[in-house]
Amino acid sequence: MPRSSMTAIGIWRKIIFYFVLITIWELAYRLGVGYLKAWQPDGFPSPIKIMRVFLTLIQDHTLGSAVLTSVIRLAFGFGISLVLGFFLALILLRYKSLQENLSPLLLGLQALPNVTWVPMAIFWFGLGESTILFVVVIGSTFAITLAVESGIKNVKSIYLKAAQTMGSKGLKTYRNVVFPAALPEIIGGLKQGWAFAWRGLIAGEMLTQVNGLGEILVAGRERADINQIIAIMVVIIILGLTVNKLVFERLEANIRYRWGLD
């Protein structure tokens, strides 16, 4: 069967699966609210009501503005994290004493939930953009640092010996051998850092109530509108999956193709 036909069949299977899932969800809502009286209408989300909220947010430009603002914040903060993460990783690899002492600390800091940084950020920067940026950066930098450090440190020694045998030295070895060999693990760290950055962004926007997706979540909570809350959660999931599909999966596919893994 041609690859295009298999792809089309896979897409239709997913569409049918989610259609059935949403239908069951709506039936559960109607059964629980209308017949069994198991919960209140505002205590259980309805897919149809979620879609209505979603369309309303689009029509009044609230959603578009929030998505654009949040994505710009996220891209800017994640860009800073990339620079800091790679810089810290190279410093740790250069100085073994720092690596031995700081790596466990960075691992512990990475384990901290992003939201724990928000009170400190508010204390330092107040309620504003700087607080959100700080939380995004601090939440993703350590994951990137540890991934780059681990990826480069775990490059097989046989690659280095082969490069030295062929006369490769210094930066040339890093550019042509070490960094390409470490890329799969580095990409995994970037994906993890991106996920942490997303969480930090939403946490910062929720607590500072600055314009963005997090602020719309808080507005839904204040109005006791569970459908608005779920609608924004769905938007966040879709954005995350889109970035993963368009950026990270393509990077991984290119790496696998270049190294002959496909």
Side-chain angles (χ1 to χ4, degrees), residues 17-251:
F17 171 80
Y18 285 109
F19 176 78
V20 171
L21 187 64
I22 292 172
T23 301
I24 294 173
W25 180 2
E26 180 65 25
L27 290 175
Y29 169 81
R30 293 178 180 273
L31 182 64
V33 172
Y35 297 97
L36 300 179
K37 307 296 183 181
W39 45 72
Q40 297 297 319
D42 58 355
F44 190 85
S46 162
I48 293 177
K49 291 183 178 180
I50 290 172
M51 182 57 65
R52 289 173 182 167
V53 170
F54 183 75
L55 293 175
T56 299
L57 291 174
I58 291 177
Q59 290 171 356
D60 62 14
H61 305 292
T62 300
L63 184 60
S65 174
V67 168
L68 181 61
T69 302
S70 294
V71 169
I72 291 174
R73 285 192 189 116
L74 184 63
F76 185 56
F78 189 67
I80 295 175
S81 298
L82 283 176
V83 175
L84 292 177
F86 272 84
F87 177 75
L88 287 174
L90 295 177
I91 292 295
L92 293 178
L93 291 166
R94 177 65 179 82
Y95 300 101
K96 297 299 180 182
S97 59
L98 283 177
Q99 186 181 90
E100 293 173 357
N101 292 290
L102 282 182
S103 291
L105 176 61
L106 294 180
L107 185 61
L109 291 173
Q110 180 196 358
L112 278 175
N114 298 67
V115 70
T116 59
W117 292 102
V118 177
M120 184 183 298
I122 293 175
F123 182 77
W124 285 344
F125 306 110
L127 297 173
E129 296 288 341
S130 298
T131 293
I132 300 174
L133 182 63
F134 174 82
V135 175
V136 170
V137 172
I138 203 73
S140 56
T141 296
F142 302 133
I144 296 171
T145 298
L146 293 172
V148 174
E149 177 204 4
S150 177
I152 293 177
K153 186 170 62 176
N154 292 328
V155 171
K156 294 180 180 179
S157 60
I158 191 172
Y159 296 158
L160 300 177
K161 292 177 181 178
Q164 291 170 0
T165 301
M166 298 175 68
S168 179
K169 295 180 181 179
L171 291 176
K172 189 176 180 180
T173 302
Y174 265 85
R175 184 177 67 251
N176 297 327
V177 179
V178 175
F179 188 69
L183 267 179
E185 189 165 347
I186 291 175
I187 296 300
L190 296 185
K191 289 174 67 175
Q192 188 178 40
W194 177 263
F196 288 155
W198 251 125
R199 296 170 188 174
L201 173 76
I202 300 303
E205 289 179 346
M206 287 179 66
L207 293 179
T208 59
Q209 296 193 28
V210 175
N211 180 44
L213 292 172
E215 190 271 337
I216 301 180
L217 275 174
V218 173
R221 181 202 65 190
E222 292 176 347
R223 292 201 297 267
D225 188 348
I226 193 171
N227 298 293
Q228 178 168 316
I229 294 172
I230 300 298
I232 299 303
M233 290 173 64
V234 171
V235 170
I236 293 170
I237 292 172
I238 291 174
L239 287 174
L241 292 175
T242 301
V243 171
N244 182 68
K245 187 72 174 179
L246 297 180
V247 179
F248 295 112
E249 283 192 9
R250 288 189 176 184
L251 283 175

